[in-house]
Amino acid sequence: MTSPERDPHPTEDPTGPPVEQPVGDEPTAGQPRRSGLRNPERAVRGLGAGTLSLEALVLLLAIQPIRVVGGDLGGAAIGAVVALAVAAVVLAGMMRRQWAWNAGTVLQGLLLLGGLLHWSLLGLGIIFALVWAYALHVRRVILG
């Protein structure tokens, strides 16, 4: 006995109603490409908040190793690091607001300026400025 050949890509589910085939997955000229995310704005906000939260955590955890290994981390530098960490946490909670992205960029610049207080803050500023630039790039690609 031979069995009938089956279509490897059936358009109908034998146990249910017909399955709709997607039409036009490719973007046409002038239309933005869909990201495939259910809520792209929420995903981008999560990326920004996560980046700032990680930055705050690293800044706070870096205080003691910088003091022990790098020496010369005075009270002003420690105060600046704590203030930047608190600002990062506050901004992470406010990522719903459009201006928070600009404020996050300013925060990266302030951390780079912290390099005047201690060279290791400049290193952390460069690293997190690059991470923030990538987050801004992802935001621009996803949201258009």
Side-chain angles (χ1 to χ4, degrees):
M1 266 195 183
T2 62
S3 62
E5 289 188 30
R6 300 184 110 192
D7 184 10
H9 304 290
T11 57
E12 293 183 12
D13 183 5
T15 61
V19 177
E20 293 182 28
Q21 294 293 327
V23 178
D25 283 344
E26 296 297 319
T28 59
Q31 290 181 343
R33 188 178 64 163
R34 290 182 43 106
S35 66
L37 298 168
R38 287 185 194 168
N39 189 343
E41 292 84 12
R42 184 175 177 192
V44 170
R45 282 194 314 262
L47 173 65
T51 301
L52 290 170
S53 298
L54 181 65
E55 181 174 357
L57 180 67
V58 168
L59 284 172
L60 291 175
L61 291 176
I63 292 173
Q64 186 60 21
I66 291 171
R67 285 184 61 222
V68 170
V69 176
D72 244 11
L73 188 65
I78 292 173
V81 169
V82 170
L84 288 172
V86 168
V89 170
V90 168
L91 284 175
M94 302 186 91
M95 291 309 295
R96 287 181 187 239
R97 293 168 172 58
Q98 184 67 28
W99 57 265
W101 288 93
N102 295 329
T105 303
V106 170
L107 182 74
Q108 306 314 314
L110 291 174
L111 182 56
L112 287 168
L113 284 176
L116 297 173
L117 298 172
H118 196 271
W119 62 269
S120 60
L121 295 179
L122 176 65
L124 287 175
I126 291 170
I127 291 169
F128 279 108
L130 292 173
V131 172
W132 187 252
Y134 179 70
L136 290 174
H137 169 73
V138 169
R139 177 179 181 241
R140 187 178 67 243
V141 167
I142 290 177
L143 298 181

